[in-house]
Amino acid sequence: MYRIILLFLISFLLFMPLDAQKDMNSILSEKYASLTAEHLPGFYLGIIKYGNPIYSKAFGMANLEHFVPFSGRTVSDLGSVGKQLTVMGILQLKEEGKLNLDDEIHLHLSKLPALNEKVTIKHLIHHTSGIPDVYALHSLKGFRYGDHISQSDAYRFLEARPVVDFTPGSRYRYSNTGFMLLAEIIKEVSGRSFEAYLKEMVFSPLDMNQTFIMDVPGEIFTYMADSYVASSQGNYTKRYDNSTLQGGGGIYASGYDVLKWIDNFRTKKVGNEDSFQFMLTNAKLSTGETIDYAGGINVDQYRGIERYHHNGSSAGARTRLVFYPKHQLGFIVKSNTPSVGYSQFTEIENLIIDQYLNDFASKQKSNDNPEERLINNSVTPSADVYTGKYYNEAIDLTIHANIENGELQLSNFYYPLSSLQYQGDDKFSDNRNSAIFFKGKDDEIKGMIIETPRASGIEFLKRNE
């Protein structure tokens, strides 16, 4: 272990230009000077070029209680960055001749209830299956962030509501449920656990020895960071994710290990040419539209430079992985607090481009946090028309609807869900979620349809009491 770390440090000192290293260090050290304190969470940034680590530095603490600094060997939850590893597991099974990507998923999932449409493995990988996201359904049911969710919970939702929300392949909608099913396919086809298969076929060949999969709530790994969120008073509290859903997340890894995975885009030590061709090709919908999502990773251009990238979020952990294939340069940045999150990651990405790819990049920089469009509707909805209880039998859920201060307040038995503004024509929205009410022949409200970014067409009928 120490020999590997020593070689790592020597290599980035040899291959990194001293002026670039100095600039990166000075800019980041100045910008994140506050994180040198022992009472703040932190992050790690590692950059690799042509297989050589050219920058590696951590700021802040992995554990605040025991003053453990963040480092390149700190292990944390990668969140959805792990999806590309799941896809590589599926592609390894394809290379072994054990499945095809156009296979209907029921061929490899004996316990899955019959769905109303044909869904293929490829649909799951591209988020085009129409299967609603399990986290979205759980939130409607009243589950709070951090509540335990297991693989069996996701199956139960599919058993209760065995329908897809649109024709598979016709639309893109992000679904962790789909990647949970990919993990189940890996288990059933390989005859091994999801972790055992990925360890043998992906992690070990790349020497990713500090990469793990959490399949037991609260499982502890060596050098593991705690995750934290800041309170309104400015102090930090721990944030836990007790979900053990596999496939869509739950992969924990060190920064050093993720750099090894990034370099696999160059070496293709794991995965043959056909696998990478599929993994890095943008999906095309049945409408003919091409989307930015490929095989567990986004493929697009930023500032005129092609990149592969994905974000990850779990509890307080935030992660971003980026690789620029034409320049064989990539980076991993991961933190244990949303206080160092996606807006900071965008700043870091722009800094990396300015430092190493400036001759190839446009000066236009994106704003990942644009102001939302303000909804302004002068019409005040009638409380008598929409107020009431609405029930969905499939997921056994009652939602209460009330009009307060001109806005639709939705809540379940446990806590408020949304505050939506009136859009006219019996529709309420907050730019992300919406409730659309529908009427019967008597022109009375009979129910509403809930739409969220990850679940749509969930129909609730009004209860007459």
Side-chain angles (χ1 to χ4, degrees):
M1 171 63 74
Y2 291 109
R3 181 173 178 269
I4 292 172
I5 294 174
L6 180 60
L7 290 173
F8 185 96
L9 294 172
I10 291 172
S11 63
F12 84 69
L13 288 172
L14 288 174
F15 287 95
M16 181 176 189
L18 291 178
D19 56 342
Q21 183 178 349
K22 181 180 178 181
D23 288 345
M24 287 290 290
N25 279 328
S26 60
I27 294 171
L28 289 174
S29 295
E30 180 179 350
K31 189 171 185 62
Y32 298 103
S34 63
L35 294 182
T36 58
E38 293 182 340
H39 64 282
L40 294 175
F43 72 96
Y44 167 77
L45 170 63
I47 308 173
I48 191 167
K49 186 172 185 178
Y50 285 102
N52 301 301
I54 60 172
Y55 187 86
S56 179
K57 187 165 184 177
F59 300 78
M61 296 288 121
N63 179 277
L64 298 180
E65 293 172 276
H66 304 290
F67 307 106
V68 179
F70 221 101
S71 74
R73 68 179 182 181
T74 297
V75 170
S76 60
D77 193 345
L78 301 180
S80 290
V81 169
K83 285 182 167 66
Q84 56 202 273
L85 297 165
T86 299
V87 171
M88 183 55 75
I90 288 288
L91 294 173
Q92 291 299 288
L93 289 172
K94 178 180 178 294
E95 289 179 23
E96 294 180 90
K98 295 182 178 179
L99 56 73
N100 290 305
L101 300 182
D102 290 319
D103 286 348
E104 189 171 0
I105 59 177
H106 282 90
L107 292 175
H108 308 293
L109 294 171
S110 57
K111 297 180 181 179
L112 186 70
L115 301 176
N116 63 324
E117 295 270 5
K118 177 183 176 181
V119 176
T120 68
I121 293 174
K122 191 180 294 182
H123 290 144
L124 299 182
I125 291 173
H126 290 151
H127 295 296
T128 59
S129 68
I131 296 175
D133 185 85
V134 63
Y135 290 112
L137 295 177
H138 263 68
S139 65
L140 287 174
K141 286 283 287 183
F143 283 71
R144 295 175 183 266
Y145 194 92
D147 287 348
H148 178 60
I149 306 175
S150 66
Q151 300 285 89
S152 58
D153 290 330
Y155 263 116
R156 279 195 290 272
F157 270 116
L158 288 174
E159 289 170 354
R161 189 175 180 269
V163 296
V164 298
D165 291 340
F166 52 81
T167 302
S170 65
R171 288 172 53 188
Y172 167 87
R173 194 185 63 203
Y174 200 86
S175 175
N176 283 291
T177 314
F179 271 75
M180 176 276 291
L181 294 175
L182 290 175
E184 291 298 304
I185 288 172
I186 289 174
K187 289 164 61 177
E188 190 156 328
V189 174
S190 71
R192 282 170 279 178
S193 71
F194 178 58
E195 182 172 20
Y197 186 78
L198 284 195
K199 183 175 182 179
E200 178 185 347
M201 303 301 293
V202 181
F203 304 158
S204 293
L206 297 177
D207 198 27
M208 296 171 64
N209 299 317
Q210 283 296 109
T211 301
F212 314 95
I213 295 176
M214 183 174 286
D215 51 10
V216 176
E219 191 173 359
I220 296 173
F221 309 119
T222 55
Y223 305 115
M224 188 167 121
D226 283 309
S227 74
Y228 302 91
V229 293
S231 69
S232 57
Q233 291 76 35
N235 59 330
Y236 284 87
T237 57
K238 288 186 179 181
R239 172 68 63 85
Y240 299 99
D241 182 1
N242 293 313
S243 165
T244 53
L245 280 185
Q246 298 175 25
I251 297 180
Y252 287 66
S254 70
Y256 293 154
D257 270 14
V258 181
L259 288 176
K260 296 170 185 175
W261 165 252
I262 292 174
D263 194 43
N264 192 54
F265 289 116
R266 179 184 68 90
T267 64
K268 298 180 176 58
K269 184 181 293 185
V270 174
N272 62 25
E273 287 293 338
D274 287 343
S275 291
F276 275 96
Q277 178 68 27
F278 170 80
M279 189 175 186
L280 301 174
T281 298
N282 298 99
K284 181 175 286 189
L285 303 179
S286 57
T287 60
E289 178 188 357
T290 299
I291 60 177
D292 285 341
Y293 209 81
I297 196 165
N298 297 282
V299 177
D300 62 14
Q301 287 201 353
Y302 178 59
R303 296 180 60 183
I305 303 174
E306 184 184 14
R307 65 178 179 178
Y308 314 148
H309 65 101
H310 212 297
N311 290 333
S313 171
S314 178
R318 297 292 183 272
T319 307
R320 180 156 178 76
L321 178 153
V322 179
F323 183 69
Y324 308 100
K326 291 183 180 179
H327 307 281
Q328 296 297 301
L329 184 142
F331 72 88
I332 177 67
V333 56
K334 62 195 194 87
S335 76
N336 60 340
T337 176
S339 300
V340 183
Y342 299 134
S343 61
Q344 290 80 15
F345 293 171
T346 299
E347 291 177 355
I348 289 171
E349 180 171 7
N350 283 320
L351 173 61
I352 290 170
I353 291 174
D354 290 342
Q355 290 290 111
Y356 301 106
L357 303 175
N358 192 49
D359 292 342
F360 309 96
S362 67
K363 304 305 178 186
Q364 184 68 33
K365 300 177 182 180
S366 74
N367 176 13
D368 276 3
N369 297 292
E371 291 185 11
E372 291 186 350
R373 177 179 61 86
L374 296 178
I375 300 173
N376 184 12
N377 194 304
S378 59
V379 179
T380 300
S382 171
D384 294 337
V385 173
Y386 303 106
T387 295
K389 296 179 180 180
Y390 296 79
Y391 180 69
N392 181 290
E393 183 178 7
I395 58 177
D396 189 24
L397 174 63
T398 297
I399 287 182
H400 302 257
N402 294 289
I403 301 294
E404 297 180 11
N405 300 319
E407 295 186 350
L408 177 69
Q409 307 293 329
L410 298 180
S411 62
N412 56 31
F413 179 78
Y414 302 94
Y415 66 100
L417 295 172
S418 296
S419 178
L420 308 178
Q421 294 80 46
Y422 187 56
Q423 303 295 300
D425 296 327
D426 300 318
K427 180 178 179 179
F428 296 78
S429 175
D430 66 356
N431 284 329
R432 286 180 55 81
N433 308 294
S434 63
I436 305 167
F437 291 84
F438 57 89
K439 298 177 180 179
K441 293 181 179 180
D442 56 2
D443 207 35
E444 296 289 328
I445 294 294
K446 295 300 180 183
M448 67 174 173
I449 296 174
I450 297 292
E451 303 276 348
T452 78
R454 297 188 179 181
S456 61
I458 306 176
E459 184 176 297
F460 291 79
L461 298 178
K462 189 173 185 181
R463 283 183 160 177
N464 296 317
E465 298 180 346

mmCIF file of all heavy atoms in Angstrom, residues 123 128 166-172 285-287 289:
data_model
loop_
_atom_site.group_PDB
_atom_site.id
_atom_site.type_symbol
_atom_site.label_atom_id
_atom_site.label_comp_id
_atom_site.label_asym_id
_atom_site.label_seq_id
_atom_site.Cartn_x
_atom_site.Cartn_y
_atom_site.Cartn_z
ATOM 1 N N HIS A 123 -33.090 -0.428 -22.297
ATOM 2 C CA HIS A 123 -33.975 0.611 -21.766
ATOM 3 C C HIS A 123 -33.584 0.987 -20.333
ATOM 4 O O HIS A 123 -33.592 2.172 -19.967
ATOM 5 C CB HIS A 123 -35.433 0.132 -21.780
ATOM 6 C CG HIS A 123 -36.026 0.009 -23.152
ATOM 7 N ND1 HIS A 123 -36.912 -1.000 -23.479
ATOM 8 C CD2 HIS A 123 -35.864 0.753 -24.275
ATOM 9 C CE1 HIS A 123 -37.275 -0.864 -24.740
ATOM 10 N NE2 HIS A 123 -36.646 0.192 -25.240
ATOM 11 N N THR A 128 -34.723 4.895 -20.184
ATOM 12 C CA THR A 128 -35.844 5.088 -21.109
ATOM 13 C C THR A 128 -36.912 4.009 -20.927
ATOM 14 O O THR A 128 -37.727 3.799 -21.816
ATOM 15 C CB THR A 128 -35.348 5.070 -22.574
ATOM 16 O OG1 THR A 128 -34.696 3.816 -22.849
ATOM 17 C CG2 THR A 128 -34.379 6.210 -22.845
ATOM 18 N N PHE A 166 -44.621 5.347 -19.700
ATOM 19 C CA PHE A 166 -44.656 5.697 -21.121
ATOM 20 C C PHE A 166 -44.084 4.520 -21.911
ATOM 21 O O PHE A 166 -43.493 3.597 -21.336
ATOM 22 C CB PHE A 166 -43.881 6.986 -21.416
ATOM 23 C CG PHE A 166 -42.474 7.011 -20.876
ATOM 24 C CD1 PHE A 166 -41.429 6.384 -21.549
ATOM 25 C CD2 PHE A 166 -42.193 7.666 -19.676
ATOM 26 C CE1 PHE A 166 -40.132 6.416 -21.051
ATOM 27 C CE2 PHE A 166 -40.900 7.697 -19.173
ATOM 28 C CZ PHE A 166 -39.867 7.081 -19.862
ATOM 29 N N THR A 167 -44.263 4.542 -23.209
ATOM 30 C CA THR A 167 -43.741 3.471 -24.059
ATOM 31 C C THR A 167 -42.226 3.423 -23.949
ATOM 32 O O THR A 167 -41.547 4.429 -24.199
ATOM 33 C CB THR A 167 -44.135 3.698 -25.525
ATOM 34 O OG1 THR A 167 -45.561 3.765 -25.621
ATOM 35 C CG2 THR A 167 -43.621 2.569 -26.405
ATOM 36 N N PRO A 168 -41.657 2.274 -23.528
ATOM 37 C CA PRO A 168 -40.200 2.188 -23.374
ATOM 38 C C PRO A 168 -39.467 2.588 -24.650
ATOM 39 O O PRO A 168 -39.831 2.183 -25.754
ATOM 40 C CB PRO A 168 -39.982 0.710 -23.034
ATOM 41 C CG PRO A 168 -41.255 0.292 -22.372
ATOM 42 C CD PRO A 168 -42.331 1.034 -23.096
ATOM 43 N N GLY A 169 -38.447 3.419 -24.474
ATOM 44 C CA GLY A 169 -37.654 3.882 -25.595
ATOM 45 C C GLY A 169 -38.110 5.195 -26.186
ATOM 46 O O GLY A 169 -37.401 5.786 -27.000
ATOM 47 N N SER A 170 -39.292 5.685 -25.758
ATOM 48 C CA SER A 170 -39.841 6.899 -26.362
ATOM 49 C C SER A 170 -39.444 8.171 -25.621
ATOM 50 O O SER A 170 -39.521 9.265 -26.179
ATOM 51 C CB SER A 170 -41.372 6.818 -26.424
ATOM 52 O OG SER A 170 -41.927 6.793 -25.111
ATOM 53 N N ARG A 171 -39.047 8.033 -24.354
ATOM 54 C CA ARG A 171 -38.703 9.198 -23.542
ATOM 55 C C ARG A 171 -37.532 8.866 -22.629
ATOM 56 O O ARG A 171 -37.269 7.690 -22.334
ATOM 57 C CB ARG A 171 -39.888 9.639 -22.669
ATOM 58 C CG ARG A 171 -41.021 10.294 -23.386
ATOM 59 C CD ARG A 171 -42.217 10.518 -22.458
ATOM 60 N NE ARG A 171 -41.844 11.229 -21.242
ATOM 61 C CZ ARG A 171 -42.670 11.400 -20.207
ATOM 62 N NH1 ARG A 171 -43.903 10.903 -20.254
ATOM 63 N NH2 ARG A 171 -42.267 12.060 -19.128
ATOM 64 N N TYR A 172 -36.852 9.904 -22.195
ATOM 65 C CA TYR A 172 -35.800 9.768 -21.181
ATOM 66 C C TYR A 172 -36.354 10.243 -19.845
ATOM 67 O O TYR A 172 -36.914 11.328 -19.756
ATOM 68 C CB TYR A 172 -34.577 10.604 -21.557
ATOM 69 C CG TYR A 172 -33.564 10.760 -20.417
ATOM 70 C CD1 TYR A 172 -32.577 9.808 -20.210
ATOM 71 C CD2 TYR A 172 -33.611 11.858 -19.559
ATOM 72 C CE1 TYR A 172 -31.660 9.946 -19.174
ATOM 73 C CE2 TYR A 172 -32.695 12.003 -18.530
ATOM 74 C CZ TYR A 172 -31.725 11.045 -18.336
ATOM 75 O OH TYR A 172 -30.824 11.176 -17.317
ATOM 76 N N LEU A 285 -33.748 7.887 -28.945
ATOM 77 C CA LEU A 285 -35.126 7.528 -28.641
ATOM 78 C C LEU A 285 -35.833 7.027 -29.901
ATOM 79 O O LEU A 285 -35.365 7.236 -31.021
ATOM 80 C CB LEU A 285 -35.871 8.733 -28.078
ATOM 81 C CG LEU A 285 -35.271 9.389 -26.820
ATOM 82 C CD1 LEU A 285 -36.124 10.581 -26.397
ATOM 83 C CD2 LEU A 285 -35.166 8.381 -25.684
ATOM 84 N N SER A 286 -36.972 6.391 -29.687
ATOM 85 C CA SER A 286 -37.749 5.889 -30.827
ATOM 86 C C SER A 286 -38.283 7.036 -31.678
ATOM 87 O O SER A 286 -38.658 6.838 -32.832
ATOM 88 C CB SER A 286 -38.922 5.037 -30.326
ATOM 89 O OG SER A 286 -39.746 5.783 -29.431
ATOM 90 N N THR A 287 -38.290 8.256 -31.135
ATOM 91 C CA THR A 287 -38.727 9.443 -31.883
ATOM 92 C C THR A 287 -37.637 9.948 -32.825
ATOM 93 O O THR A 287 -37.881 10.848 -33.625
ATOM 94 C CB THR A 287 -39.080 10.579 -30.905
ATOM 95 O OG1 THR A 287 -37.912 10.905 -30.128
ATOM 96 C CG2 THR A 287 -40.195 10.160 -29.972
ATOM 97 N N GLU A 289 -34.855 11.296 -31.597
ATOM 98 C CA GLU A 289 -34.067 12.256 -30.816
ATOM 99 C C GLU A 289 -32.902 11.552 -30.128
ATOM 100 O O GLU A 289 -33.052 10.459 -29.574
ATOM 101 C CB GLU A 289 -34.952 12.926 -29.761
ATOM 102 C CG GLU A 289 -34.207 13.899 -28.857
ATOM 103 C CD GLU A 289 -35.055 14.400 -27.704
ATOM 104 O OE1 GLU A 289 -36.253 14.038 -27.643
ATOM 105 O OE2 GLU A 289 -34.525 15.142 -26.845
#
